[in-house]
Amino acid sequence: MTNSYEKIMKRTEWFREDRFGMFIHWGLYAIPGRGEWVKTTERMTNEEYSQYFDAFNPVDYDPKAWAKAAKAAGMKYVVLTAKHHDGFCLFDSQYTDYKSTNTQSGRDLVREYVDAIRAEGLKVGLYFTLIDWYHQDYPKYNDLHHPMRGNEAYKDEVIDFDNYLNYMHNQVEELVTNYGKLDILWFDFSYEQMTGEKWRAEELMAMVRQHQPDVVIDNRLETSGEAFGSIVSDQPSNYSGDFFSPEQLLPPEGITNSKGQPIPWELCITMNNNWGYNPRDKDYKSSKTLIHKLVECVSKNGNMLLNVGPDAKGVINEESMAILSDFSRWMNKNSESIYGCGKSSLLPKPEWGYYTQKGNTLYAHIFDQPIGPLAVAGLKKDQIRRASMLHDGSEVKVADAWTTKAFDSVTYLELGGVSHFTYPLPDAVNTVIKIELND
Ligand code: GLC
C-alpha cells in the first residue's frame, strides 16, 4: 500500500467540494466544564476523574438536533470525538469497560450519532485520539502531557506499550467496521517521539484502508497540526493522511507540496477558546468574523471545521446556536460561493475582501464598504459576461461614473442606481457579487 498525490486528491474530492464542517468535542469533560484537557491540566488521577464517569448522564443527548443545526448552518460533514485523550469511549468498545454504555446513559452514543448524521444527508466523521490518559500501558512519568507526568509514584513503573498499541488498534478497527461507511477519520495527535511508527502507523493505516479504502484521514499520525508532515513531500508516507490540519491558525497562503501542487487542508477552530464545554469562557468570536474566516479558507483552497462543545446534558449552548443560525442565514443565500469553490486563478486578494472562484465564475466577497462603486482591479470590462447580487439575483452593472475616469484601467461595479453614489451594502456581514466571465 502506498500513498500518492493522485490518491490524496481523489479521496478528498468530495471534501474539497464541501468546504465546511462541524467539529464536536464532547465527553466526560463536559461535566467539570474546564475543557477537554482538564484531567491533565489539574493532574487528576484516574480515581479523581472517575467522579465524572459516575455522574455522566446526558439526558438531553439528541444527535438529530446536532445534525439539524449543522445542516441548517450549511455544514456538509460532522466530526465527533469518539474518544478523547481521557480515554473515555462514546462507543461500545469490547476492549474496555470505560465507555458510555457502562454509564447511567447506557447508550452507544457514537451509533446514535452516525445514524442521525447520515439521516440528515451529511458526511460522517469520527475523531479518535492516539493518546490515552486512562490506559495502564500508556507512558506516564516521562510523557509530555500525561496527568501523572513527573509524578514519582510512576517513575519506575513498567508498562507494556505494545499492549496499549494493540488496544488502540483494536478500537480503531471497531470504529471502522461497526459503524458503516465513514467519510472522515480524524486522528489526534503526534508529539515528540510519539509519532509515526511509534504508533505502528503503517500497520494501523493498512488495516483502516482495508476496511475503508475511501475514508479521508488527517495528517496527525505524523504531526499535531503544527507541521505539515510528509504529505507535502515528493513521496507522502502511507500514513501521511489526506489533508493538513492547522489548528486555531489560518495559513497565510494556501498549502502546496514540494512540486507546488495544492494540498488539501482544513482549519479547525473553536467558537470561543475551548474545544470541550466551558461555561465560563465567553470569548466568542463574532459570527461575522467566523463567516469571514470561512471565506478566507475557501479563497486559499481550504476547508473550515468549526467546533461546538455540547454541555454535560448533551445540549449545544445558546451562544453557539446563535452563531450557527447566523451561518444559516448567510449560507442560505450565499453558499454557492463556498461549495466547490477555491482560490481565484485570475485575481489576487482585493482590498475590500476576498474572491472565491468556481470554473468561470468569480465571487466577490465584500467585507468592507466601498466609497462609490466597487473596484475590481485586474479584471477588464469585456471579461465580464454578467454580474449579479448572489443573495437575490439582481443585476449589478459595470459602473460608468465620472469619478472613476481617472482610473480608467480599473473596472468598477455599481452598487446602486447612481454610479458615483455610495450605497449601504445589502449584507453588512458579507455581500457577495457573482461575476460570470466570458470564456
Ligand atoms: C488539540 C488538542 C485537542 C483537540 C484538538 C482539536 O490537538 O489536544 O484537545 O481535540 O486539538 O484539533
Side-chain angles (χ1 to χ4, degrees):
M1 184 195 70
T2 55
N3 206 10
S4 66
Y5 184 71
E6 290 66 37
K7 285 185 184 172
I8 289 169
M9 296 311 273
K10 181 92 196 84
R11 269 187 220 112
T12 56
E13 232 166 68
W14 69 264
F15 179 77
R16 287 177 288 116
E17 169 87 24
D18 284 359
R19 290 297 185 215
F20 188 31
M22 174 185 273
F23 215 170
I24 305 178
H25 274 72
W26 192 55
L28 299 182
Y29 42 82
I31 302 172
R34 298 190 290 278
E36 76 290 350
W37 277 55
V38 62
K39 186 178 184 187
T40 198
T41 51
E42 300 180 16
R43 295 181 184 249
M44 286 186 227
T45 61
N46 279 350
E47 217 209 308
E48 285 162 342
Y49 199 72
S50 69
Q51 59 178 304
Y52 304 124
F53 181 89
D54 298 339
F56 190 69
N57 192 15
V59 287
D60 296 327
Y61 176 58
D62 178 10
K64 293 193 194 91
W66 295 358
K68 284 200 164 63
K71 185 172 185 169
M75 293 154 157
K76 293 281 202 175
Y77 58 95
V78 185
V79 180
L80 168 70
T81 51
K83 174 171 126 173
H84 209 274
H85 310 333
D86 65 4
F88 177 70
C89 298
L90 299 184
F91 61 104
D92 189 13
S93 170
Q94 66 170 106
Y95 300 100
T96 185
D97 292 332
Y98 202 49
K99 55 183 177 181
S100 58
T101 39
N102 287 343
T103 64
Q104 292 177 64
S105 112
R107 298 153 74 178
D108 183 329
L109 303 163
V110 166
R111 168 92 48 215
E112 293 181 37
Y113 156 83
V114 296
D115 290 346
I117 299 299
R118 284 194 195 114
E120 281 300 326
L122 302 172
K123 296 256 180 359
V124 177
L126 292 177
Y127 164 111
F128 181 88
T129 187
L130 305 162
I131 297 166
D132 196 310
W133 297 333
Y134 180 79
H135 198 279
Q136 75 277 4
D137 288 317
Y138 198 86
K140 304 176 190 67
Y141 183 77
N142 282 315
D143 186 69
L144 184 64
H145 302 302
H146 198 282
M148 297 299 110
R149 65 193 176 281
N151 184 326
E152 295 296 320
Y154 294 90
K155 190 167 184 189
D156 300 316
E157 189 199 34
V158 179
I159 58 160
D160 180 353
F161 189 59
D162 250 325
N163 183 47
Y164 169 67
L165 290 181
N166 293 338
Y167 169 78
M168 186 265 275
H169 284 217
N170 282 335
Q171 289 196 323
V172 173
E173 185 154 31
E174 291 182 306
L175 290 177
V176 297
T177 53
N178 292 345
Y179 298 91
K181 183 177 186 299
L182 298 184
D183 300 295
I184 299 183
L185 187 55
W186 215 103
F187 284 119
D188 209 17
F189 70 74
S190 296
Y191 57 102
E192 296 187 313
Q193 80 284 8
M194 307 295 277
T195 178
E197 275 315 292
K198 184 82 181 182
W199 306 118
R200 301 203 323 240
E202 187 87 34
E203 178 195 333
L204 184 67
M205 283 299 272
M207 180 272 289
V208 169
R209 291 276 179 235
Q210 179 202 332
H211 298 298
Q212 303 263 358
D214 301 325
V215 67
V216 170
I217 302 179
D218 67 348
N219 65 339
R220 295 196 175 189
L221 280 161
E222 292 182 342
T223 83
S224 65
E226 89 293 4
F228 302 119
S230 69
I231 193 172
V232 294
S233 75
D234 283 357
Q235 272 192 311
S237 79
N238 290 339
Y239 45 85
S240 67
D242 303 310
F243 65 92
F244 167 53
S245 57
E247 179 172 331
Q248 309 283 36
L249 189 106
L250 211 162
E253 289 172 54
I255 310 298
T256 50
N257 66 12
S258 55
K259 293 181 187 147
Q261 298 163 306
I263 292 292
W265 60 272
E266 176 196 67
L267 164 69
C268 56
I269 181 177
T270 50
M271 289 183 173
N272 51 8
N273 284 308
N274 276 265
W275 297 101
Y277 182 62
N278 186 332
R280 284 159 299 276
D281 179 357
K282 299 290 183 193
D283 291 332
Y284 286 87
K285 297 153 194 76
S286 70
S287 9
K288 177 175 173 175
T289 294
L290 290 168
I291 289 168
H292 287 188
K293 296 309 160 189
L294 171 62
V295 170
E296 187 178 340
C297 287
V298 176
S299 81
K300 297 174 178 176
N301 286 327
N303 287 25
M304 189 167 99
L305 186 65
L306 181 59
N307 183 72
V308 296
D311 68 19
K313 292 187 164 181
V315 173
I316 300 176
N317 69 354
E318 273 178 32
E319 290 94 330
S320 307
M321 286 302 287
I323 290 172
L324 293 175
S325 62
D326 288 341
F327 266 97
S328 177
R329 188 193 55 78
W330 187 82
M331 288 290 278
N332 268 334
K333 304 273 185 198
N334 298 292
S335 64
E336 185 190 313
S337 64
I338 298 293
Y339 303 143
C341 293
K343 185 181 164 123
S344 172
S345 58
L346 279 181
L347 301 179
K349 181 193 170 335
E351 283 182 317
W352 36 256
Y354 285 91
Y355 292 112
T356 57
Q357 191 179 335
K358 177 163 46 191
N360 241 358
T361 304
L362 201 60
Y363 298 94
H365 297 259
I366 316 172
F367 295 178
D368 286 333
Q369 171 76 57
I371 296 302
L374 183 81
V376 191
L379 203 64
K380 298 203 182 63
K381 291 186 181 110
D382 62 8
Q383 285 180 281
I384 302 177
R385 188 158 62 81
R386 83 181 273 276
S388 55
M389 287 290 176
L390 183 57
H391 68 277
D392 65 1
S394 59
E395 112 183 301
V396 172
K397 287 188 189 156
V398 172
D400 182 20
W402 68 269
T403 47
T404 64
K405 292 271 189 286
F407 309 97
D408 215 21
S409 62
V410 178
T411 301
Y412 284 86
L413 295 176
E414 193 177 290
L415 295 169
V418 181
S419 273
H420 65 274
F421 278 16
T422 295
Y423 298 92
L425 293 165
D427 187 331
V429 170
N430 176 9
T431 297
V432 184
I433 298 182
K434 175 176 179 177
I435 306 173
E436 293 161 81
L437 303 167
N438 289 316
D439 300 323

